[in-house]
Every structure is written in C-alpha cells, then in structure tokens.
Amino acid sequence: LIGGVSIVGAGQVGTMLGMALRSAPPDAGVTKVTLFDRDRAVAEESLALGGGDLIADRIDEALEAEAVILAVPVTQIVKLLDELGSRVPPEVLLMDTGSAKVLVVEAMRRNVPPTVHAIGGHPLVGTERPGPSAAQAELLRGAVFALTPVSEDAEPIERARDLVQAMGARPLVLTAQRHDQTVALTSHVPHLLAFALASVVAAAEQEEGFEPALESSGLAGAVRLAASDPAMVAGFLSANASLVRTALRRLRGEIDRIDSVLDADPSTLEATLVAGPGTTP
Amino acid sequence: LIGGVSIVGAGQVGTMLGMALRSAPPDAGVTKVTLFDRDRAVAEESLALGGGDLIADRIDEALEAEAVILAVPVTQIVKLLDELGSRVPPEVLLMDTGSAKVLVVEAMRRNVPPTVHAIGGHPLVGTERPGPSAAQAELLRGAVFALTPVSEDAEPIERARDLVQAMGARPLVLTAQRHDQTVALTSHVPHLLAFALASVVAAAEQEEGFEPALESSGLAGAVRLAASDPAMVAGFLSANASLVRTALRRLRGEIDRIDSVLDADPSTLEATLVAGPGTTP
C-alpha cells in the first residue's frame, strides 16, 4: 500500500503525477496527495486542477509522507537533495522526475541516509508547455517511466514500481548511465536543436529577405520542443552536458556528411539521407 | 474560368491538388482533372481516391489542357521542363509545386515559349508520407500557396491566383529568391536535421548503451519530417543547395553557441537558449 504521497514542485509534471495518483485504483492504497511549491500560487493552481488533496506550507511538512516525489528541474533536484536529503525520514520512498539521472542518483547517494528508500525516476511523457494547466494525466497511461536505482536494495525498486503502476505508467528499471546516454540523443539534443532553430528563425524574421508567411507546419513541428520551460531544459542539458556533447558530436558528423553531398547529384544525396552514418552509399 | 487541369505526378501532392480542384466551387469552372504519372499504378490509385477524373496515357496528352501542374520532385520538374517545356501549347497556364523555386523559374524562362503562361508554385502544406493514399485535400483549405512569377506579365499571375483559390488555398506572390531563402531555413534545413537525427538514432539503436524503450514523443516529433519521401527531400535540398548551406551555417553557429555554455551554470545556459543569436546574455 502506497499511503500518502507528497509532490515537491506542482508544475506540469508534478500536477500530471498528482492527478494520476488521485485516480489510482483503490487497491493501490494512495491515501492522499500533498503538494508543495516554493511558489504558493502554483501549488494552489495545481490543487484547483485536481493535482492534489492539500498543500503543505513548508517543505519539511511535505517530507512527512510515505512517498516523496521531487518534480522540479534537475538542477533544483540536486540542490534540494544537498540541502535536505539528510532530513528525509527513514523508510520514505524518495523519487524524482528529472530527465538526467546520473547527477540525481549521485546526489541521493551523497546526501540521503541509507534507511531512506531513494531511487531516480523519469516519466518519458509530458507536454512542452510549463505550469499546472498544461498537465495531462492521461499521457501517463501506458507510458514508460524510467527507474534508476541508487543501491542494490530491492525494496525501493519494488515500491517505486508500485507507485509508477498506480499512475498507470510502465516502470522500466535501468542504470542512470544507460538512461542518460540514451536520452542525450533522443531527448536532450532534440531540445537543443529546437531551441537553436527557433532562435535562428526568430532572428531571420527581422530580415528583409525572409517571408514569415511561408512558415509551415513542418517548421512548427521542428521547433515544438522549444516551447518547453527553458529552465527545465537548461537544467537537464547542464546536468547531462558531457553525454549531450557526445551525442551532439555524432549529429554534427551526420549533418556534415549530408552537407558534403548537397552539390552531388540528387541520387547520391538521396542515398546519403537514407543510408545513415558510417555507410557509404 | 479555369477549364481542364492536368496534373503530372499523381503522388501525395498531385492527388491533394486534384481532390481540391474536383471539389472547387462550380463558378471556378474546373471542367475536368486529368492525371498523368510515369508509374501508371500510382495514377490509378490516385484516380480511385478521387484525385482526378481520368488518366492520360502519355504526357503530351496531359499537356492538352487549360492548366498543367507539375507535381513531381524538383529535380524532375527541371528535367521535364528541359525535355518538353518547348512543346507546351500557347496560353496554357503552366505551374509546378516544387519547394525550391529559383531553379524551376529559371528552367521555365529557359525552355518555355513566352506565349505559355508559366509560373512557379508551392503549396506550403502536405503530409510526410508519400503516395496518393497520404493525400489530404482539406490541408489546402486556407493554406499559403506561394506563387513565384517567371515574368512581369500579369496574366499568368492572375490565372494562378484563381487556380489556387479554386483549391481553397491562399495565393502569396513573391520572388523565387525570397521564397528559397526563407524555406531554406523554415523547411529544407529542418528536413535535413530530421534525417540526420533519425540516422544517428537508428545507428545508436544497435549499440549496447542505448535503451530504445526510452524513445519519447519528443523524439517522434523531432524526426517526423524524416518520414518524407527521400527523393523529394534530396530534390529540394539539391536544388536549393547554396541557400540551404547558408541557413545551415547560421544554425551551426547557434548550436555551437549553446554548446559553449553547456558547462556554464544553468542560468547562463537558460539565458543563452532564450536569447537567440547575436545576443549576449
């Protein structure tokens, strides 16, 4: 039985999780969902939308629960763990939702007493827009929710699995390193690209030779991730900088490879587009 | 009154245009839509889906119409114009749908007799999937349809406007140069990026340290354009190579700018993501 769950950070992700937990099957045993946000207005908005049952006035109040989920940008997760990890009561299931896991798991190992059931978490869904009103609990249904263990202890893993399943999501246990290496390429670099492209288009829009009316649905899709909360994106790019850079280097290599055949005949270019890196068309 | 319209190339774009023309308001005066495709099976599929009223057996038969639309990849448009531009009968409204316009307009100037009403065209909509079955006529409704004049003659422009409006789209007249400069950044580079990212992810999927189950909807959106017909993409990238390269250089500069602050503190990174090129946060 899960018991009381506290969510620290009542933005889009926290609200989504809170909504899902509040409609968990009764046999999951979620007794109440407590919200805390350093911006009280955000917690109140989340509460009004159904993200929780009540609001904690202070963060230490939120730590008095069976499970505590840190749903803030990665940088703040690490900071929170450094500041109050040692104060988390024994037996609490402590999880986060950050999209970079090595730094979080290290901060858990560094700060949290071994009696706490700490584990890294990352729901692989969400919307680009920030804030409680962007939360969509139904996105969690059947979605992959990565769990990255802090120790070899089976209990935090089992409890986190139950918590994730109570939300309707699919737990996937893997190492923080493997997680971060994958999402560097599948999520972090795509976010970086979207922000870069959006910036360049915004600059071009100010220029004579550019016709904004030609912007298409293809562009809208390509810059969609740039609508994400910049603080959240800066948080995970920064936390995963080294692996992001490795992934970016691979992508640059592939862009250069295509660039080098732009002037070749179109069939060579076509073969290069399709073939993928390391293949000679 | 528009009269008979022939569509050369009965794929996704040609079929979409044919469907829209066949449901044009009666006062537009579209009498019939003739399809031609060098792959007869594609023309038949398009016909069955409502993309036209009949199929032309030979391309020269298709040229016997009031309006002829070349709806094939840019490279083939230029080749077709070189091969049979001189045989287009006088007074025919000759338009294309390619997403690179300078080369097409030049090929029209070079090959088509001045008695022909030639003009470049580019509907700014479509789906990523190729083939008649991917056509969605409703996408044209209210969509921008770029028209790039070949000469100062007003008649082709007026007739092309009428044709585009009969499809329910919004004509936008601009120079081929301005068109190509804009779409290099808003469409061609995003396509190139999507193919590059899709290739790198496909290669990573074969590796130990990568967990494919972590691929998210964000990634799906970022590589969506890579589902486009590679021949079509190679065609426009190749036709617009020089401006694509210029746009790519700008984007690379912006990626490098973000890369250079990945190790800075997250607030600097955040400011860089948001600020855009040329701004010092």
Side-chain angles (χ1 to χ4, degrees):
Chain A
L1 291 179
I2 289 166
V5 183
S6 289
I7 297 175
V8 174
Q12 183 241 129
V13 176
T15 301
M16 170 174 76
L17 267 50
M19 287 170 165
L21 285 169
R22 291 183 71 232
S23 52
D27 64 0
V30 177
T31 52
K32 65 174 175 181
V33 176
T34 305
L35 299 169
F36 174 81
D37 200 290
R38 61 181 181 182
D39 181 346
R40 173 103 196 178
V42 170
E44 275 164 9
E45 190 185 351
S46 178
L47 187 77
L49 289 162
D53 299 297
L54 71 162
I55 293 176
D57 291 320
R58 293 169 310 106
I59 193 161
D60 283 275
E61 241 176 271
L63 298 183
E64 301 295 329
E66 274 69 38
V68 175
I69 305 175
L70 307 178
V72 289
V74 181
T75 331
Q76 287 175 53
I77 294 170
V78 172
K79 204 177 288 177
L80 276 175
L81 288 167
D82 286 342
E83 279 166 21
L84 47 81
S86 63
R87 302 210 298 275
V88 180
E91 306 290 314
V92 166
L93 173 63
L94 178 67
M95 196 173 83
D96 77 308
T97 62
S99 98
K101 300 264 59 83
V102 169
L103 277 196
V104 170
V105 164
E106 280 171 1
M108 285 174 166
R109 286 198 188 114
R110 187 168 63 234
N111 297 294
V112 179
T115 49
V116 173
H117 291 162
I119 188 165
H122 176 211
L124 270 284
V125 287
T127 63
E128 290 75 40
R129 287 170 306 119
S133 65
Q136 296 180 26
E138 64 278 13
L139 289 181
L140 277 170
R141 191 141 305 278
V144 170
F145 199 121
L147 294 174
T148 60
V150 167
S151 73
E152 309 229 310
D153 189 358
E155 212 173 330
I157 302 177
E158 287 318 309
R159 290 181 67 194
R161 276 186 197 276
D162 289 346
L163 186 63
V164 163
Q165 276 162 351
M167 299 175 196
R170 280 193 298 136
L172 176 78
V173 180
L174 78 172
T175 66
Q177 172 69 27
R178 187 172 161 87
H179 172 279
D180 285 7
Q181 196 169 323
T182 302
V183 298
L185 189 55
T186 61
S187 167
H188 299 174
V189 160
H191 276 86
L192 190 157
L193 285 182
F195 273 93
L197 184 60
S199 287
V200 170
V201 170
E205 279 169 350
Q206 308 306 316
E207 295 163 7
E208 263 307 303
F210 188 89
E211 174 50 68
L214 296 180
E215 291 176 14
S216 60
S217 59
L219 177 66
V223 300
R224 196 171 54 94
L225 293 173
S228 306
D229 179 9
M232 181 190 77
V233 176
F236 62 63
L237 289 178
S238 162
N240 202 19
S242 151
L243 292 169
V244 166
R245 210 164 254 151
T246 304
L248 206 50
R249 194 157 48 231
R250 288 182 75 163
L251 182 72
R252 267 206 205 87
E254 183 61 13
I255 292 173
D256 291 349
R257 207 171 67 89
I258 300 174
D259 190 342
S260 72
V261 292
L262 281 179
D263 292 321
D265 72 300
S267 61
T268 304
L269 176 53
E270 182 184 343
T272 307
L273 287 175
V274 175
T279 333
T280 315
Chain B
L1 291 179
I2 288 167
V5 182
S6 289
I7 297 174
V8 174
Q12 184 241 129
V13 176
T15 301
M16 170 175 76
L17 268 50
M19 287 169 164
L21 285 169
R22 292 183 71 232
S23 52
D27 64 0
V30 177
T31 52
K32 65 174 176 182
V33 176
T34 304
L35 298 169
F36 174 81
D37 200 290
R38 60 181 181 181
D39 181 346
R40 173 103 195 179
V42 170
E44 275 164 8
E45 190 186 350
S46 178
L47 188 77
L49 289 162
D53 299 296
L54 71 164
I55 294 176
D57 291 320
R58 294 170 308 105
I59 193 161
D60 282 275
E61 241 176 271
L63 298 183
E64 303 294 329
E66 274 70 36
V68 174
I69 304 175
L70 308 178
V72 289
V74 181
T75 330
Q76 287 175 52
I77 294 169
V78 172
K79 205 177 286 179
L80 276 176
L81 288 167
D82 285 342
E83 280 166 21
L84 47 81
S86 63
R87 303 209 298 275
V88 180
E91 306 290 314
V92 165
L93 173 63
L94 177 68
M95 195 172 85
D96 77 308
T97 62
S99 99
K101 301 264 58 84
V102 169
L103 277 196
V104 169
V105 164
E106 280 171 0
M108 285 174 166
R109 284 197 189 115
R110 186 167 64 233
N111 297 293
V112 179
T115 49
V116 172
H117 290 162
I119 188 165
H122 176 211
L124 269 286
V125 287
T127 63
E128 289 75 41
R129 288 170 305 119
S133 64
Q136 296 180 27
E138 63 278 14
L139 289 180
L140 277 170
R141 190 141 307 278
V144 170
F145 200 121
L147 295 173
T148 60
V150 167
S151 72
E152 309 229 309
D153 188 358
E155 213 173 330
I157 302 177
E158 286 318 308
R159 290 181 67 194
R161 275 187 197 277
D162 289 347
L163 185 64
V164 163
Q165 275 162 350
M167 299 174 197
R170 280 193 299 136
L172 176 78
V173 180
L174 79 171
T175 66
Q177 172 68 27
R178 188 172 160 87
H179 172 279
D180 285 7
Q181 196 168 322
T182 303
V183 298
L185 189 56
T186 61
S187 167
H188 298 175
V189 161
H191 277 85
L192 189 158
L193 285 183
F195 273 92
L197 184 60
S199 286
V200 170
V201 170
E205 279 169 349
Q206 308 306 316
E207 294 163 8
E208 262 308 303
F210 188 90
E211 174 50 69
L214 296 180
E215 293 177 14
S216 60
S217 59
L219 178 66
V223 300
R224 196 171 53 94
L225 293 173
S228 308
D229 179 10
M232 182 190 76
V233 175
F236 62 62
L237 289 179
S238 163
N240 202 20
S242 153
L243 292 169
V244 166
R245 210 164 253 152
T246 304
L248 206 49
R249 194 156 46 230
R250 288 182 76 162
L251 182 72
R252 267 208 205 86
E254 183 61 13
I255 292 174
D256 291 349
R257 206 171 68 90
I258 299 173
D259 190 342
S260 71
V261 292
L262 282 178
D263 291 322
D265 72 299
S267 61
T268 304
L269 177 53
E270 182 184 343
T272 307
L273 287 175
V274 176
T279 334
T280 316

